[in-house]
Amino acid sequence: MQASTAGQPPATVTTVERFDAFLSTNELTKSQVLEQVDDSFGDPLLIIAAGSVIAGFGNANSDLDLYVIVPDEVASTLPLMAYPKGSRVDVVLHGVDQVARRHEELTTTHWPPPEVGPGDLGTRRQVLDSMSRFGLGLPLTGTHEWSAWQQRLAGELAGWIRSWYAAEAVRKRIAAREFAGRKPLVAALRIGEALAAALERRAVERGEAYFKPKWLGEKLSRLGDREGLAAFELAMCPPCSPDEVPAYLARVGELLDHYLLDVDSSAWRVKLSCARGTDRYAFGGDQLVSRWGLRTVSVPAGGPVDTGTAWTYAVDEDWHPDVAALFAEDLLWLGVECPS
């Protein structure tokens, strides 16, 4: 590995201390960690120490993630596991072109997008995950060009992550609204997820941008956010009885109004489309909609289910009953998009 550290942005003391603590605990040196990076795809242009260890949420058994940019294209970004002195180091290689494409996608598009499909959520989440690891991690070595890129990326991430969580909060809240009259306990789960997304956004605004939802409670604790922690407990403890759901929905709804006050979703649209594995069959005067042959819903023929595979509504607009019935039975996928 011959990459230079010239131009490398200064890391915060805490990330350096966390990395040093990992080395000390596992009796490793920085050089021994860097030796775990394979150079089959060219000499690394940038190596970032990332993951829960560097973010400050790991424990003595946590692995260290190394996110690496190499010149050649890499077929897979699955981690390459190494075990120096019994510790675990996961090396994730990224080709230059792949990183450039992902960065361009984030800088040239907004979220929610003008048009959204079922695969777009997973793709966006994956891009945010990998780019945030590069931007928020600790640079160990890198060329001047890529070290400068990493510093710039670190300053761009918060806005992208905040917009992701804003859209997720609205999306989950819409789902809760539609489940409320049919499956109240599911509605409670969804609105709890909406509140968790809103709290993730709040944490990002206050400086905790690590893109891993399982650490939300720890982020709020580190921020000393007592109000946020109380809301987090509410999100994690939905009611177990349908009778308690209306009050829970109202209480969480008030918090969402508060945390999403600055989110203008008036131009957003709800996008519903048939979930993967969904088929339709005519049966007498009805339309049977089935998914994977495991569940089937009957709706009257002649409605919107006969004539389309996707439907859009305003955020606050009532859905056609046939469409709502399919959604309640997990036959439709729900997204939000912003045409303007």
Side-chain angles (χ1 to χ4, degrees):
M1 292 177 291
Q2 302 172 353
S4 167
T5 58
Q8 180 174 299
T12 63
V13 173
T14 53
T15 56
V16 172
E17 288 179 341
R18 291 164 189 160
F19 179 67
D20 288 344
F22 176 84
L23 296 181
S24 177
T25 299
N26 294 282
E27 300 181 346
L28 291 169
T29 65
K30 179 179 176 180
S31 295
Q32 288 173 321
V33 169
L34 293 176
E35 287 172 359
Q36 310 311 313
V37 179
D38 190 285
D39 59 2
S40 299
F41 298 91
D43 289 334
L45 303 173
L46 181 68
I47 301 177
I48 300 290
S52 60
V53 168
I54 300 302
F57 302 121
N59 55 44
N61 297 316
S62 296
D63 59 282
L64 178 72
D65 296 332
L66 295 183
Y67 271 57
V68 184
I69 297 177
V70 293
D72 297 337
E73 197 64 23
V74 180
S76 172
T77 55
L78 291 175
L80 305 173
M81 292 171 284
Y83 296 88
K85 293 189 176 181
S87 63
R88 176 170 162 177
V89 177
D90 286 351
V91 180
V92 186
L93 301 178
H94 296 73
V96 166
D97 291 342
Q98 179 190 51
V99 171
R101 286 194 303 269
R102 289 184 169 184
H103 190 210
E104 182 181 13
E105 178 183 338
L106 290 173
T107 54
T108 59
T109 61
H110 62 79
W111 196 263
E115 295 184 6
V116 68
D120 296 337
L121 290 178
T123 298
R124 185 74 170 196
R125 186 186 297 109
Q126 183 182 44
V127 169
L128 284 173
D129 181 70
S130 65
M131 290 296 98
S132 65
R133 298 297 184 99
F134 280 115
L136 301 177
L138 172 67
L140 298 182
T141 183
T143 66
H144 177 82
E145 176 187 1
W146 283 100
S147 295
W149 171 84
Q150 191 268 347
Q151 188 174 25
R152 185 172 70 253
L153 178 65
E156 297 171 330
L157 281 167
W160 299 330
I161 297 174
R162 287 178 69 248
S163 64
W164 165 265
Y165 283 124
E168 281 298 277
V170 171
R171 189 172 75 94
K172 297 289 188 177
R173 189 177 193 178
I174 292 169
R177 181 191 69 198
E178 294 302 319
F179 279 121
R182 295 176 172 84
K183 296 183 177 181
L185 293 179
V186 177
L189 290 174
R190 292 295 174 269
I191 204 166
E193 293 169 353
L195 180 54
L199 290 170
E200 287 280 9
R201 182 173 178 268
R202 175 183 172 94
V204 173
E205 291 171 342
R206 299 185 174 202
E208 289 287 353
Y210 186 53
F211 195 65
K212 279 293 180 181
K214 69 179 180 179
W215 300 114
L216 176 55
E218 283 77 4
K219 295 176 195 176
L220 296 172
S221 294
R222 193 154 72 183
L223 289 168
D225 187 353
R226 294 184 179 181
E227 176 190 316
L229 282 169
F232 175 66
E233 182 178 359
L234 183 66
M236 296 296 103
C237 299
C240 297
S241 168
D243 294 339
E244 299 172 343
V245 169
Y248 182 79
L249 295 178
R251 186 179 177 190
V252 175
E254 290 177 357
L255 288 173
L256 287 172
D257 289 341
H258 171 64
Y259 292 133
L260 302 177
L261 184 62
D262 62 326
V263 176
D264 182 8
S265 59
S266 59
W268 295 9
R269 303 283 292 176
V270 178
K271 175 71 171 293
L272 294 152
S273 55
C274 291
R276 182 175 297 178
T278 301
D279 292 306
R280 293 178 292 182
Y281 309 92
F283 184 77
D286 294 335
Q287 185 82 208
L288 299 182
V289 184
S290 177
R291 187 179 184 192
W292 302 123
L294 298 176
R295 63 183 68 203
T296 301
V297 174
S298 174
V299 295
V305 176
D306 276 354
T307 57
T309 57
W311 305 269
T312 58
Y313 298 97
V315 169
D316 296 324
E317 184 180 356
D318 291 333
W319 301 357
H320 190 282
D322 293 351
V323 175
L326 297 186
F327 177 74
E329 296 301 327
D330 196 31
L331 297 171
L332 300 182
W333 173 85
L334 166 65
V336 291
E337 54 190 27
C338 182
S340 60

